[in-house]
Structure formats: structure tokens, C-alpha cells
């Protein structure tokens, strides 16, 4: 990939991820917050691909954005919004968030992790199919069972 | 090539925003979505760190985590729907 295109993609994806994270937290409408969550998943998928993990990026789009976010988007249509919390609590949460970011950024910069390197995705694909096929199978069954159980729980069966 | 350091910083920002969402809301669905935001930040951090260290199993862990997160979100939303039908509210302070 051309370096400038890569940098532009990175800037766009990071901007989309941060703006959609703010939207999930701050949007009054739950529906639009859920849509923002789907956008965050897509932006994350672009970042995964830029890191060299194309397979993880595809899984993120297929499972996280395609299934989970779509499910949440339709589910939140049933709910009502609550009134906003008082300003002191919102201010406290902003302080907490800033403290978390500052701490994590300091740890990342001081530890020197992430200064160079690039992964290849074929290693992950081969590992998943050759060495980790049983966890993959279990996870696939778990996801299917969770979807079926989710419908059963929401419909209140067994009461 | 973009250094994974910038990905790690972006993941820290996304994680912190998710934490703000959990602290600043009493709505069960919004708290769940904020936890999902934090999960996205964590996944990005995992893969950015793996790109540096060359830890080969990291993408496998990420794929399993994405799938389990999907299962968890679906189940949690279903439980929230049931709670809403039974209690008529999603205010976690009233539910507790």
C-alpha cells in the first residue's frame, strides 16, 4: 500500500473510532448510539487491517458489525431513554476518563511497546485452522447457542 | 508504515471513552454499549502489541474474543429486554 494512503486511512479510521465512541456515550437517542457502535466496529476493522491482521478485520466486520451491532440496533428500538445524570456526575466521569487515558498513554510511551513491527495474517489463519480448530468450533457453537438462548430469554419462555 | 504506538494510543482513547460512558450513565443498554466500546479498545491494544512483539497466537485470541463478545452482547441485550418487560425500567439504580 502507498505510504500516504496508509496514513490517510489511519487518520480517518482513528477519527471515526474516537468520534463514534463519543457518540455512543453522548448521543441522546439509543438507536443512533447503537449505529455509532457499528461504525466504531468498522473503524476498528480498518485499524486491524492496517496492522496487518486482515483475517481478524474480516471476522470483526462479519461477526461484530454484521451480527452483534445489527442485533443491538434493532433491540434498542424497544427501549425508552432515561433523563440525564446531574452535571457533577458527568464532570466526574470526564475526569475518570481523562485519568484512564493519561495513565494508559503514559504506560504505553514509557514501556516502549509499539515502536515497530508488522504482523502477517496467514500465520493467524493457519494457526486457527490447524492448531486452534477446537476452540474455534466451541466458539461457533457458543455464538449459535447464545443467539437461540437470547431469543428464548427475551421472549420469557419457561416462566 | 505507521508505528503500532499510535494504534496503542488510539486504543487507550477509545477505552477511556468507554469508561466515561459506564461511569456517566444509569441506562443499562448504554452501559452495555459503553462496555462494548471498551472491548473494542482492548482488542485494538492486543493486536497493536502483537504487531510489535510478534506473538503469533494474538490474532487467534482476538478472533475468539470477538466471537465471544458477540455472544455476550446478544445474551445481555436479551436479559435487558426481559428486565424491561418485567420491571418497566432500565435504570440500573432502580433495578438493583
Amino acid at each position: 500500500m502507498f505510504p500516504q494512503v496508509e496514513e490517510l486511512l489511519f487518520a480517518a479510521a482513528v477519527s471515526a473510532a474516537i468520534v463514534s465512541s463519543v457518540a455512543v456515550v453522548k448521543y441522546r437517542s439509543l438507536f443512533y448510539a447503537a449505529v455509532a457502535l457499528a461504525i466504531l466496529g468498522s473503524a476498528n476493522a480498518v485499524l486491524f487491517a492496517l496492522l496487518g491482521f486482515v483475517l481478524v478485520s474480516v471476522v470483526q466486520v462479519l461477526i461484530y458489525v454484521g451480527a452483534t451491532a445489527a442485533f443491538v440496533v434493532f433491540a434498542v428500538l424497544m427501549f425508552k431513554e432515561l433523563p440525564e445524570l446531574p452535571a457533577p456526575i458527568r464532570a466526574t466521569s470526564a475526569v475518570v476518563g481523562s485519568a484512564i487515558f493519561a495513565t494508559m498513554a503514559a504506560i504505553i510511551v514509557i514501556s516502549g511497546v509499539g515502536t515497530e513491527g508488522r504482523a502477517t495474517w496467514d500465520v493467524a489463519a493457519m494457526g486457527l485452522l490447524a492448531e486452534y480448530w477446537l476452540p474455534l468450533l466451541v466458539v461457533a457453537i457458543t455464538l449459535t447457542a447464545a443467539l437461540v438462548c437470547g431469543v428464548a430469554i427475551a421472549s420469557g419462555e419457561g416462566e | 508504515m505507521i508505528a503500532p504506538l499510535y494504534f496503542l494510543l488510539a486504543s487507550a482513547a477509545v477505552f477511556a471513552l468507554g469508561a466515561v460512558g459506564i461511569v456517566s450513565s444509569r441506562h443499562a443498554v448504554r452501559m452495555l454499549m459503553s462496555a462494548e466500546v471498551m472491548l473494542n479498545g482492548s482488542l485494538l491494544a492486543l493486536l497493536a502489541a502483537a504487531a510489535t512483539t510478534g506473538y503469533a497466537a494474538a490474532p487467534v485470541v482476538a478472533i475468539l474474543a470477538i466471537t465471544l463478545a458477540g455472544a455476550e452482547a446478544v445474551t445481555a441485550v436479551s436479559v435487558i429486554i426481559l428486565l424491561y418487560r418485567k420491571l418497566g425500567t432500565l435504570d440500573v439504580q432502580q433495578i438493583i
Side-chain angles (χ1 to χ4, degrees):
Chain A
M1 192 183 293
F2 298 106
Q4 285 180 338
V5 174
E6 195 175 344
E7 283 157 15
L8 280 174
L9 264 178
F10 175 77
V14 168
S15 306
I18 290 175
V19 169
S20 54
S21 299
V22 173
V24 170
V25 173
K26 287 294 168 196
Y27 256 5
R28 290 285 299 149
S29 162
L30 276 178
F31 174 77
Y32 289 115
V35 171
L37 185 63
I39 294 170
L40 171 63
S42 308
N44 245 6
V46 173
L47 292 172
F48 294 166
L50 285 174
L51 275 168
F53 299 105
V54 180
L55 183 67
V56 183
S57 170
V58 170
V59 170
Q60 169 89 351
V61 171
L62 283 178
I63 293 181
Y64 194 82
V65 180
T68 312
F71 183 84
V72 173
V73 165
F74 286 109
V76 297
L77 291 174
M78 302 179 190
F79 304 130
K80 280 188 288 190
E81 264 293 342
L82 293 174
E84 260 191 20
L85 287 175
I89 297 178
R90 281 182 282 140
T92 309
S93 68
V95 171
V96 168
S98 305
I100 289 173
F101 174 70
T103 309
M104 292 176 76
I107 290 170
I108 290 163
V109 171
I110 291 168
S111 66
V113 176
T115 46
E116 59 181 20
R118 177 56 52 107
T120 54
W121 68 284
D122 53 340
V123 177
M126 289 310 295
L128 200 60
L129 294 176
E131 288 183 50
Y132 299 94
W133 61 270
L134 184 60
L136 186 66
L137 185 66
V138 171
V139 157
I141 293 171
T142 305
L143 185 58
T144 312
L147 287 167
V148 175
C149 292
V151 174
I153 291 169
S155 64
E157 280 182 16
E159 289 176 16
Chain B
M1 188 179 113
I2 301 155
L5 172 70
Y6 299 114
F7 291 87
L8 284 169
L9 290 175
S11 77
V14 171
F15 187 90
L17 285 166
V20 169
I22 286 193
V23 175
S24 67
S25 176
R26 291 189 321 205
H27 197 294
V29 176
R30 198 173 290 277
M31 290 176 81
L32 173 69
M33 287 196 285
S34 299
E36 294 291 323
V37 171
M38 291 174 79
L39 171 93
N40 273 289
S42 312
L43 277 175
L44 185 56
L46 169 74
L47 291 176
T52 312
T53 59
Y55 179 46
V60 177
V61 174
I63 288 171
L64 299 183
I66 289 168
T67 317
L68 286 177
E72 167 254 322
V74 167
T75 312
V77 168
S78 306
V79 170
I80 289 170
I81 291 172
L82 188 62
L83 276 174
Y84 186 65
R85 289 174 58 192
K86 281 187 177 297
L87 305 175
T89 181
L90 289 175
D91 188 334
V92 285
Q93 289 189 346
Q94 289 182 26
I95 291 171
I96 291 169

